[in-house]
Amino acid sequence: MKKIVWITGAGSGIGAAMARTFASAGYGVALTGRTRDNLEEVAASLPEAAQSLIVPGDVTDRTGMAAAAQEIVAWGGGLHVLCNNAGLNIPKRRWEDLDWESWDKVFEINVTGALNVIAACLPAMRAQQDGIMIHTSSWAGRFHSAVGGVAYGASKHALSDLSASLNDQEGVNGIRSTALCPAEVATPLLTRRPGFDSARLPAMIQPEDMAETALYVARMNPNVAVHEIVLAPVRR
């Protein structure tokens, strides 16, 4: 049976690169994001023989994510890999710029949204006694990062712990979980960092590097759980 991967935040950046990489490796690819047009562009960029399903949605919609998982299982006959990739950062990142509305949004997407997608996948993966969840955390989810910001860093630390909890509690069901913790990745999200110099983009981790790392995890011996991978650009 062809393996199925569900990618959230699939409309651009890391998610789009994951879609292309997994499709090229023969996976059936389910794409979720808030904008259908972006998902259709990504689907059109996949190899000609790729099997893909567009499932628009917002990860903060708990009922919608549960329904999306069920749709993917019905379409592909299973759900084997989750790339839990949807995320948000904001311009106001320091305590002196405290902005409750935007800080709450970071947690709503990066933590509650991630929880919603994890919970949506668990029934299918438990039934299969097999599944891999790969979460796009951050260097800021492993170490304190002033440039990442207060809310973002706290949210990514929470995401990394969610990943650890899955290995602790769901390994008995054949489910493994990995937190990917990259430093700077050349994505549209990064360019919104206050004072960011776009000339630095070519020297940074590329979305394709993240996608190849996720595929490596997905291909790992099923008796091995890769708990965390930390990546950073070479410091020149």
Side-chain angles (χ1 to χ4, degrees), residues 200-218:
R200 297 174 54 207
L201 289 172
M204 293 182 171
I205 300 168
Q206 300 301 304
E208 292 74 18
D209 300 322
M210 292 292 293
E212 290 291 342
T213 304
L215 181 61
Y216 161 77
V217 171

Side-chain angles (χ1 to χ4, degrees), residues 37-49:
D37 287 349
N38 292 347
L39 298 175
E40 289 179 347
E41 288 181 12
V42 172
S45 74
L46 302 180
E48 186 174 347

Side-chain angles (χ1 to χ4, degrees), residues 215-226:
L215 181 61
Y216 161 77
V217 171
R219 287 172 160 171
M220 180 58 66
N221 175 350
N223 293 319
V224 175
V226 182

Side-chain angles (χ1 to χ4, degrees), residues 7-13 15-16 31-35 37-42 85:
I7 304 168
T8 65
S12 65
L31 309 173
T32 291
R34 289 179 291 183
T35 306
D37 287 349
N38 292 347
L39 298 175
E40 289 179 347
E41 288 181 12
V42 172
N85 174 69

Side-chain angles (χ1 to χ4, degrees), residues 110-111 115 118 135 137-138 141-142 153-169 177-179 181 227-228:
N110 293 2
V111 182
L115 277 166
I118 290 166
H135 314 274
S137 184
S138 172
R142 185 64 175 80
S155 73
K156 291 299 187 178
H157 270 80
L159 179 58
S160 290
D161 193 68
L162 288 175
S163 179
S165 74
L166 288 163
N167 284 320
D168 180 49
Q169 298 179 25
S177 187
T178 302
C181 299
H227 285 233
E228 181 181 83

